[in-house]
Amino acid sequence: MYNMVDVYISERILTPDKSMDKVWERPDLLIDVPNHYCPGCSHSVVHRLLMEVVEELDIMERTIGIAPVGCSVLAYDYLNVDMQEAAHGRATACASGIKRVFPDKIVFTYQGDGDLAAIGTSETIHTVNRGENIVMVFINNGIYGMTGGQMAPTTLEGAKTSTCPEGRNLDLMGHPIKIADMIALLDGAYYVTRQAVHNSKTVRKTKKALLKAFQYQIDGKGGTSFVEIVSNCPSGWKMTPLEANDWLAKNMFEYYPLGNIKIPQKEE
Amino acid sequence: MGQKRLMKGNEALAEAAIRAGVQGFFGYPITPQSELLEYMSKELPDRGGTFVQAESEIASINMVYGAAGAGARVMTSTSSPGFSLMQEGISYLACTEIPCVIVNVMRGGPGLGTIQPSQGDYFQAVKGGGHGDYQLIVLAPNSVQEMANFAFLGFDLADTYRVPVLILADGALGQMMESIEFPDYVVKEHLTDKSEWATTGRINGREQHILTSLHLQPEEMEMTNKILQRKYREIEAKEVRYETLFTDDADLLIVAYGLSSRVSHKALELARKEGLKVGLLRPQTLYPFPSTVLNNLAEKVKKILVVEMSAGQMVEDVQLAVEGKIPVEFYGRMGGMIPQPDDILDKLRKMNESTLNV
């Protein structure tokens, strides 16, 4: 059992080439402790990318992160920046409060699909609608991981979870919500993109998206930057990590296609 | 002291909060508190602060959580149904020891209720309200002047103890106009060093600041609770505030707070004219409650009458405080109705007669 970071590293280690440059090292801001995430989980990869971005942009001293309720509730155990843990769904309200009173701070939220697109939908929509100049990171794995694998607002049709054991029935349970597409319609949204981290190519793209999102905030651009990351949940999906990544690529991207949903006008 | 001004209670509280250096106000419209929100929207941005009209009371209280957690002096205000919505956030604020001021301009309930004044949120305000073991310091003004005074006091107490402070007013106090003077006030920077815990960014690589109410290990969670309880004992020892009137020779003691205390005061005057020896105890802090004072008074007076605009909530704390030493009776109106002095007077007369018969 291994996670994506391990895959990335092991590829390099197993094919040593003395002439190669060092391509990866743990960012200082990623606290060097074993994390509680399941093997193969996307969270650890996104955590690393976030801290790389904070380091590369040299914004640690003014960065404040908001952890959600969900699997990443303990994100502050790994992300070595100042952090607040918000009530379930309220991360962006919390971030709005900080950013409005302290506009020079760099504020990001980190939420899963239950937190951002179910219980916190109101906060999500209105934060973006106000055009709060923050970065919202959205981990969409279509399931409630922490509570043991229940149906999420983003669970795909037919997907089995502990609260839709026969598979999600759209007539009874509604449709998987495309929250990124929804908020892209709001004038307050500045940059909305959907990415993934299931292989090294998508990891690099996500890193670029996060760099952009934070840079927009630093530049004080007008609006919210929203980075959705279509993610896996091997434990909740009852798959091995490789099976999960495979299933993700085959099923999730069709409904949640990767790419930019809204980009700043001058860049179009 | 400045010049006298005629102001609504809601506006006086808002003006006082601005003078107390409030940096952010987050709120949502609800009658009978909306003037507070409106005053802030007009005044605060021009006077160095931030005003945000949130999409709900849930968002308001969580904006307070964020901004206060980052070290700012911030507040929100609402009325009863909105206060119910805020309970989750208040529980988080209490556990993470984030100082802030919350205002509840109470209206009649339950449910959507009425927009008329009430004191039906006493339990919710004083007994926690949200989940878990916690207390708010609860200040109960009974005049427009105190609406202002308690805004200053509220921020200072919040910073001193790192607790959320609740100003528990009612629709009448919020809406009525009285003349007030704003005291000279200087923000007391020494009350707390927020740089020790606030999430301001890890400057110079200091230790990470984390504000969380999650402690999965029960031993840790119990320790968090013990720290809170220790703080509450200190608050109970140091911060009890109350006012007494004519208690020296009183046979009958009225206990009332907020608007009820104003009506009770009138009833007391009428009763005194008839020769009834009536006194009044008015808690200004509902938590911490003036239990010891009441217990001592129970040695001197013969009976206590608790007057509330509720079905009888504070009366339970009065009964606990007097430990059964003397009878405690209750007179209340509910659902937005205000007790009348004559009705309280009738009650006092009957209590006095039965006292003589004993």
Side-chain angles (χ1 to χ4, degrees):
Chain A
M1 301 295 262
Y2 41 82
N3 63 26
M4 285 312 300
V5 179
D6 296 331
V7 172
Y8 197 62
I9 296 168
S10 59
E11 280 173 6
R12 300 294 173 186
I13 293 171
L14 293 173
T15 54
D17 180 345
K18 292 274 180 348
S19 67
M20 284 176 75
D21 293 332
K22 192 175 190 180
V23 294
W24 184 84
E25 62 186 336
R26 171 184 285 275
D28 289 341
L29 289 178
L30 190 65
I31 299 171
D32 193 2
V33 291
N35 68 47
H36 73 280
Y37 297 118
C38 303
C41 173
S42 306
H43 273 305
S44 50
V45 182
V46 182
H47 280 20
R48 168 173 66 84
L49 295 178
L50 263 172
M51 291 302 94
E52 284 179 3
V53 166
V54 170
E55 278 185 12
E56 285 170 33
L57 296 173
D58 194 19
I59 50 173
M60 174 196 80
E61 296 197 344
R62 52 190 186 121
T63 295
I64 302 163
I66 313 294
V69 172
C71 284
S72 49
V73 65
L74 292 165
Y76 47 76
D77 280 351
Y78 315 120
L79 311 180
N80 198 359
V81 292
D82 279 3
M83 289 197 71
Q84 297 187 18
E85 198 286 307
H88 197 19
R90 319 300 171 214
T92 63
C94 183
S96 300
I98 300 172
K99 189 69 182 180
R100 285 299 186 101
V101 179
F102 301 107
D104 292 339
K105 302 295 180 195
I106 303 300
V107 186
F108 73 87
T109 55
Y110 189 102
Q111 299 173 272
D113 36 57
D115 201 80
L116 182 142
I119 196 168
T121 310
S122 171
E123 284 76 10
T124 298
I125 288 173
H126 286 279
T127 299
V128 178
N129 195 49
R130 286 190 304 269
E132 301 291 353
N133 185 23
I134 61 169
V135 174
M136 293 170 66
V137 179
F138 171 39
I139 306 296
N140 176 10
N141 60 7
I143 202 161
Y144 281 76
M146 188 176 74
T147 44
Q150 295 82 12
M151 185 180 73
T154 50
T155 299
L156 294 179
E157 180 180 11
K160 290 179 181 174
T161 73
S162 67
T163 50
C164 51
E166 303 301 322
R168 184 174 189 155
N169 177 333
L170 300 191
D171 292 337
L172 295 176
M173 302 157 192
H175 302 262
I177 194 166
K178 294 177 175 175
I179 193 95
D181 303 81
M182 280 173 62
I183 63 139
L185 296 173
L186 303 171
D187 289 343
Y190 188 70
Y191 172 53
V192 181
T193 188
R194 185 183 289 120
Q195 303 292 338
V197 289
H198 69 301
N199 59 31
S200 51
K201 188 178 160 198
T202 49
V203 167
R204 279 194 294 273
K205 278 192 161 180
T206 297
K207 167 88 175 281
K208 273 185 194 155
L210 287 169
L211 269 169
K212 264 191 185 178
F214 276 86
Q215 190 61 53
Y216 291 143
Q217 183 178 169
I218 293 165
D219 296 344
K221 300 283 180 158
T224 310
S225 293
F226 186 96
V227 181
E228 171 174 347
I229 298 156
V230 180
S231 303
N232 62 17
C233 180
S235 297
W237 294 356
K238 316 233 180 302
M239 298 176 193
T240 67
L242 288 180
E243 283 168 357
N245 282 344
D246 204 33
W247 191 89
L248 174 141
K250 281 185 184 138
N251 298 279
M252 297 276 280
F253 298 155
E254 190 184 336
Y255 197 81
Y256 302 112
L258 302 188
N260 292 329
I261 301 171
K262 183 175 189 180
I263 57 171
Q265 279 177 356
K266 65 174 176 50
E267 293 180 23
E268 278 174 6
Chain B
M1 301 287 274
Q3 67 192 69
K4 276 197 185 259
R5 293 169 67 174
L6 187 66
M7 290 184 92
K8 272 192 171 191
N10 283 335
E11 294 172 346
L13 202 162
E15 174 62 28
I18 295 172
R19 290 173 186 234
V22 73
Q23 292 166 272
F25 178 94
F26 310 96
Y28 185 83
I30 183 169
T31 308
Q33 125 339 126
S34 295
E35 295 83 4
L36 212 166
L37 177 87
E38 288 165 351
Y39 193 93
M40 284 295 189
S41 73
K42 184 167 174 286
E43 292 288 327
L44 190 54
D46 292 338
R47 293 162 73 179
T50 301
F51 170 87
V52 180
Q53 180 170 328
E55 66 272 23
S56 67
E57 289 88 349
I58 297 172
S60 303
I61 196 70
N62 285 286
M63 288 177 184
V64 166
Y65 177 87
R73 179 169 268 202
V74 296
M75 68 180 291
T76 183
S77 67
T78 186
S79 180
S80 306
F83 189 59
S84 294
L85 284 175
M86 289 184 181
Q87 294 308 320
E88 179 199 40
I90 294 172
S91 174
Y92 280 66
L93 284 158
C95 188
T96 45
E97 302 182 81
I98 295 179
C100 64
V101 169
I102 302 154
V103 181
N104 178 4
V105 184
M106 288 183 283
R107 59 189 249 182
L112 193 53
T114 167
I115 59 173
Q116 302 301 322
S118 162
Q119 297 178 324
D121 299 353
Y122 180 92
F123 282 151
Q124 198 179 23
V126 172
K127 305 296 179 187
H131 56 285
D133 286 304
Y134 70 90
Q135 300 283 347
L136 308 175
I137 293 179
V138 183
L139 303 174
N142 85 337
S143 64
V144 172
Q145 183 67 58
E146 271 192 351
M147 290 284 271
N149 292 355
F150 286 179
F152 297 106
L153 177 64
F155 279 115
D156 286 353
L157 288 173
D159 283 352
T160 303
Y161 294 99
R162 274 188 70 181
V163 289
V165 171
L166 175 67
I167 299 176
L168 191 67
D170 63 67
L173 290 168
Q175 296 295 324
M176 70 189 190
M177 296 184 84
E178 289 183 319
S179 79
I180 70 156
E181 276 180 82
F182 289 99
D184 295 324
Y185 177 81
V186 180
V187 178
K188 300 178 191 70
E189 298 289 352
H190 65 274
L191 290 175
T192 177
D193 184 4
K194 294 185 182 179
S195 70
E196 286 179 5
W197 54 265
T199 56
T200 53
R202 280 184 60 215
I203 292 168
N204 299 323
R206 64 152 164 73
E207 286 289 298
Q208 179 189 26
H209 286 175
I210 300 166
L211 292 171
T212 183
S213 54
L214 179 72
H215 305 283
L216 288 169
Q217 298 302 325
E219 294 83 0
E220 252 183 67
M221 195 64 230
E222 185 179 50
M223 187 48 68
T224 302
N225 270 281
K226 281 181 175 172
I227 290 167
L228 291 180
Q229 292 301 321
R230 202 178 305 143
K231 178 155 68 180
Y232 299 149
R233 298 297 90 76
E234 187 186 348
I235 289 168
E236 286 162 9
K238 290 182 182 169
E239 302 299 344
V240 174
R241 287 169 168 79
Y242 59 92
E243 192 180 65
T244 53
L245 279 173
F246 301 102
T247 49
D248 287 348
D249 67 342
D251 291 328
L252 301 174
L253 179 72
I254 304 176
V255 183
Y257 71 96
L259 190 70
S260 299
S261 71
R262 297 280 290 260
V263 185
S264 297
H265 190 174
K266 181 67 185 174
L268 179 151
E269 287 173 355
L270 296 174
R272 283 266 164 187
K273 276 182 193 158
E274 293 183 7
L276 269 63
K277 289 182 175 173
V278 178
L280 176 68
L281 171 73
R282 173 172 78 92
Q284 292 167 302
T285 51
L286 299 177
Y287 180 86
F289 194 70
S291 303
T292 309
V293 181
L294 253 172
N295 192 281
N296 292 338
L297 281 169
E299 305 279 350
K300 293 162 65 179
V301 304
K302 296 193 174 79
K303 279 182 176 176
I304 288 176
L305 174 63
V306 178
V307 179
E308 294 179 69
M309 283 144 59
S310 75
Q313 301 190 16
M314 181 178 71
V315 64
E316 293 189 4
D317 282 335
V318 175
Q319 286 166 333
L320 279 171
V322 304
E323 295 177 316
K325 285 178 186 171
I326 52 170
V328 175
E329 297 197 20
F330 175 73
Y331 180 76
R333 297 295 298 270
M334 295 169 285
M337 296 299 291
I338 298 172
Q340 297 303 303
D342 285 342
D343 296 330
I344 299 172
L345 181 62
D346 279 348
K347 181 81 181 169
L348 289 167
R349 283 183 190 133
K350 282 177 194 150
M351 286 171 68
N352 190 52
E353 279 166 26
S354 60
T355 306
L356 297 177
N357 293 342
V358 169

